[in-house]
Amino acid sequence: MKPVYTDVYEKPSDAVYYSNTPFQLSSFYMIDLEYDGKIYPSGEHLYQALKYTTCPEYAELIRTIRTPYAARLLGEQNHSNGAKREWMIRI
Protein backbone atom coordinates (compact mmCIF):
# COMPACT_ATOMS: atom_id res chain seq x y z
CA MET A 1 0.00 0.00 0.00
CA LYS A 2 1.28 3.47 -0.88
CA PRO A 3 1.73 6.07 1.86
CA VAL A 4 -1.11 8.55 1.81
CA TYR A 5 0.49 11.69 3.28
CA THR A 6 4.03 12.25 4.43
CA ASP A 7 3.95 15.78 5.79
CA VAL A 8 1.55 18.48 6.92
CA TYR A 9 1.76 20.44 3.64
CA GLU A 10 0.12 17.62 1.70
CA LYS A 11 -3.10 17.40 3.68
CA PRO A 12 -5.83 19.90 2.83
CA SER A 13 -7.05 21.88 5.80
CA ASP A 14 -10.52 22.48 4.36
CA ALA A 15 -11.36 18.78 3.86
CA VAL A 16 -13.54 16.89 6.32
CA TYR A 17 -11.93 13.72 7.69
CA TYR A 18 -13.34 11.11 9.99
CA SER A 19 -9.82 9.80 10.56
CA ASN A 20 -6.31 10.89 9.59
CA THR A 21 -6.32 9.08 6.24
CA PRO A 22 -8.69 9.20 3.28
CA PHE A 23 -10.87 6.16 2.64
CA GLN A 24 -11.29 4.29 -0.63
CA LEU A 25 -14.19 6.48 -1.78
CA SER A 26 -12.19 9.69 -1.37
CA SER A 27 -10.72 11.29 -4.49
CA PHE A 28 -7.55 11.73 -2.40
CA TYR A 29 -7.16 7.98 -1.84
CA MET A 30 -3.92 6.84 -3.50
CA ILE A 31 -4.84 4.09 -5.95
CA ASP A 32 -3.68 3.72 -9.54
CA LEU A 33 -6.44 4.50 -12.03
CA GLU A 34 -6.05 3.91 -15.75
CA TYR A 35 -7.69 6.31 -18.16
CA ASP A 36 -6.97 6.62 -21.86
CA GLY A 37 -3.83 4.49 -21.57
CA LYS A 38 -2.28 6.48 -18.71
CA ILE A 39 -2.03 5.71 -15.01
CA TYR A 40 -3.18 8.34 -12.51
CA PRO A 41 -2.20 7.95 -8.84
CA SER A 42 -5.61 9.05 -7.51
CA GLY A 43 -9.04 10.16 -8.58
CA GLU A 44 -8.06 13.74 -7.77
CA HIS A 45 -5.15 13.57 -10.22
CA LEU A 46 -7.48 12.31 -12.94
CA TYR A 47 -10.24 14.82 -12.22
CA GLN A 48 -7.90 17.82 -12.22
CA ALA A 49 -5.98 16.66 -15.33
CA LEU A 50 -9.23 16.27 -17.29
CA LYS A 51 -9.79 20.01 -16.92
CA TYR A 52 -6.78 20.58 -19.18
CA THR A 53 -7.34 18.33 -22.20
CA THR A 54 -6.58 21.31 -24.46
CA CYS A 55 -3.17 21.73 -22.79
CA PRO A 56 -1.62 18.23 -22.62
CA GLU A 57 1.66 19.44 -21.07
CA TYR A 58 -0.14 20.92 -18.08
CA ALA A 59 -2.42 17.86 -17.77
CA GLU A 60 0.71 15.67 -17.69
CA LEU A 61 2.22 17.83 -14.95
CA ILE A 62 -0.93 17.32 -12.89
CA ARG A 63 -0.93 13.57 -13.60
CA THR A 64 2.65 13.14 -12.40
CA ILE A 65 2.62 15.45 -9.37
CA ARG A 66 3.34 13.62 -6.12
CA THR A 67 0.18 14.06 -4.05
CA PRO A 68 -3.57 14.47 -4.62
CA TYR A 69 -3.53 17.79 -2.78
CA ALA A 70 -0.78 19.11 -5.06
CA ALA A 71 -2.84 17.96 -8.07
CA ARG A 72 -5.82 19.87 -6.68
CA LEU A 73 -3.77 23.03 -6.24
CA LEU A 74 -2.40 22.84 -9.78
CA GLY A 75 -5.83 22.16 -11.22
CA GLU A 76 -7.44 25.09 -9.44
CA GLN A 77 -4.75 27.76 -9.60
CA ASN A 78 -3.92 28.01 -13.28
CA HIS A 79 -7.15 28.92 -15.03
CA SER A 80 -5.40 30.68 -17.90
CA ASN A 81 -3.41 27.61 -18.87
CA GLY A 82 -6.08 26.07 -21.09
CA ALA A 83 -8.66 24.83 -18.60
CA LYS A 84 -12.07 24.11 -19.97
CA ARG A 85 -14.25 27.06 -19.02
CA GLU A 86 -17.19 24.93 -17.93
CA TRP A 87 -14.97 23.16 -15.38
CA MET A 88 -13.92 26.39 -13.75
CA ILE A 89 -17.38 27.85 -13.04
CA ARG A 90 -18.22 27.75 -9.34
CA ILE A 91 -21.76 27.69 -8.08
Side-chain angles (χ1 to χ4, degrees):
M1 179 180 259
K2 295 179 185 180
V4 179
Y5 296 107
T6 57
D7 65 61
V8 69
Y9 299 106
E10 297 174 343
K11 187 173 181 181
S13 61
D14 60 343
V16 176
Y17 290 92
Y18 296 100
S19 72
N20 288 331
T21 58
F23 290 98
Q24 290 88 343
L25 295 178
S26 168
S27 64
F28 280 59
Y29 186 73
M30 296 291 284
I31 187 168
D32 289 344
L33 300 170
E34 184 176 351
Y35 178 80
D36 204 21
K38 293 183 178 184
I39 301 295
Y40 294 79
S42 73
E44 191 67 25
H45 285 82
L46 176 57
Y47 173 76
Q48 297 299 338
L50 285 174
K51 291 179 181 179
Y52 294 90
T53 57
T54 59
C55 187
E57 300 85 15
Y58 198 71
E60 184 66 10
L61 176 63
I62 293 171
R63 185 182 75 82
T64 58
I65 198 80
R66 194 168 139 240
T67 67
Y69 183 58
R72 175 181 162 197
L73 290 177
L74 285 176
E76 291 180 350
Q77 76 180 358
N78 201 340
H79 300 216
S80 63
N81 205 6
K84 294 179 180 178
R85 180 170 161 59
E86 63 270 16
W87 285 64
M88 305 316 287
I89 297 171
R90 294 191 179 224
I91 298 174

